[in-house]
Amino acid sequence: MPPQNLHEIRTFSGYKVYYYDEVPSTNDVAKEIAKRTQEQNTVIIAETQTHGRGRHRRHWVSPRGGIWLSILLRPSVTPEEATKLTFITATAVAGTIQSTLGLATEVKWPNDVLVNRKKLCGILTEASTRGNIVECVVVGIGINANMGLQSFPNNLQKSVTTLKHELGCEINRETLARILIQSFDQRYKHLQNGMWSALLQEWRSLARFLGGKVVVTSFAETLVGEALDVDADGALIVRLQNGVLRRMVAGDVKLVDLSTSG
Ligand code: BTN
């Protein structure tokens, strides 16, 4: 069952928004709501998460001051196409931060938004399927907002950043979340209207790592090469040092030499 400590319900751009103080994970609350109801276009926001999850079942540090939210959707997509939601979400986050706060943002395959080459936001997209039918998709967004770097464990402090650290002041999280949902919704509607290639092109325009040297780690292997492009299915194309092209459908990218990227 969703936690009982629901604070309030609001509406942002036609999305019903449930505010919680503390939950295990906003993605899990959204999945519970999906199981019990037919709701869609619903947003779960929490001040803090006790069991925030990142990709590959990693723990996601979720102190107070962050923007921890999940969007419950019921799109008409195949399981493979659900990853497109990660791309449009990253573009929406990057665009919102750039236009409302003036920070230069970039996206990193497959699910990060960076500021000054440091991770500001991670996205966790989880689809519930029955056979080849997608019953619902939960898009979880974690933005490090009003906290200092000291809120993160020592081993993360070099690779993450926060809006407060970058701006030197706190931001209005509700305003940012409202603009983000609106910006997401525009792209979500475009996606449903068959405009994927324009949406992917928009993501590419923010992908400064393309053309640069990367180390890509997947379950099976670690590859070093040049990140050439992302194909129409969202897979990363890497040119290895021996010239061979490899197509990666999952993995983590480490930027090695950004001075060579465009
Ligand atoms: C990643 O970069 O590994 C993805 C991180 C996603 C974190 C967000 S915070 C809100 C939502 N709830 C979760 O438990 N995870 C996502």
Side-chain angles (χ1 to χ4, degrees):
M1 286 287 286
Q4 300 303 305
N5 57 345
L6 177 63
H7 269 200
E8 55 180 309
I9 302 177
R10 296 188 193 174
T11 310
F12 291 178
S13 309
Y15 285 61
K16 191 171 174 187
V17 179
Y18 294 94
Y19 266 98
Y20 290 91
D21 181 56
E22 180 179 293
V23 296
S25 154
T26 54
N27 268 34
D28 292 345
V29 175
K31 285 183 190 175
E32 277 298 321
I33 292 173
K35 258 192 235 159
R36 290 185 297 108
T37 72
Q38 280 309 307
E39 281 195 39
Q40 60 175 321
N41 297 1
T42 297
V43 178
I44 312 299
I45 301 187
E47 287 293 330
T48 183
Q49 303 181 111
T50 53
H51 293 79
R53 282 184 292 112
R55 289 167 63 243
H56 309 311
R57 309 196 71 79
R58 291 181 194 128
H59 176 61
W60 180 261
V61 182
S62 316
R64 287 178 189 276
I67 300 174
W68 319 127
L69 67 84
S70 300
I71 312 174
L72 166 60
L73 304 162
R74 295 188 188 273
S76 312
V77 291
T78 63
E80 296 74 35
E81 285 171 336
T83 61
K84 294 178 180 175
L85 291 162
T86 304
F87 287 82
I88 66 165
T89 304
T91 313
V93 171
T96 298
I97 287 167
Q98 206 152 301
S99 63
T100 59
L101 303 174
L103 288 173
T105 50
E106 61 184 297
V107 296
K108 182 166 76 89
W109 186 87
N111 72 325
D112 295 346
V113 177
L114 312 181
V115 170
N116 284 326
R117 312 275 151 82
K118 307 275 175 72
K119 183 158 172 164
L120 178 80
C121 166
I123 297 159
L124 177 67
T125 302
E126 298 181 300
S128 299
T129 55
R130 192 160 30 90
N132 206 34
I133 308 287
V134 172
E135 293 190 313
C136 73
V137 178
V138 172
V139 180
I141 306 172
I143 303 176
N144 303 329
N146 292 340
M147 70 279 265
L149 298 184
Q150 75 285 351
S151 300
F152 294 87
N154 286 341
N155 63 324
L156 289 182
Q157 287 185 9
K158 280 209 167 78
S159 58
V160 301
T161 194
T162 73
L163 293 175
K164 186 175 174 180
H165 179 77
E166 296 296 330
L167 295 166
C169 62
E170 297 198 352
I171 56 118
N172 184 319
R173 289 176 299 152
E174 175 166 343
T175 304
L176 196 80
R178 275 184 189 277
I179 299 170
L180 170 59
I181 296 303
Q182 195 175 22
S183 166
F184 169 83
D185 185 55
Q186 282 168 358
R187 289 171 177 82
Y188 183 50
K189 287 188 174 121
H190 289 326
L191 182 67
Q192 308 260 53
N193 289 330
M195 292 173 66
W196 167 237
S197 68
L199 293 164
L200 182 59
Q201 197 50 36
E202 186 186 24
W203 183 92
R204 279 195 189 101
S205 72
L206 293 165
R208 289 189 54 212
F209 74 98
L210 289 176
K213 190 173 170 189
V214 290
V215 178
V216 190
T217 311
S218 71
F219 288 118
E221 57 190 346
T222 296
L223 302 176
V224 180
E226 181 190 355
L228 277 192
D229 199 2
V230 168
D231 73 14
D233 298 322
L236 181 67
I237 310 298
V238 180
R239 179 162 45 211
L240 304 184
Q241 281 149 330
N242 61 7
V244 169
L245 299 189
R246 288 290 301 274
R247 182 176 183 274
M248 307 291 291
V249 291
D252 285 317
V253 167
K254 192 161 170 276
L255 312 181
V256 176
D257 181 11
L258 280 159
S259 61
T260 58
S261 66

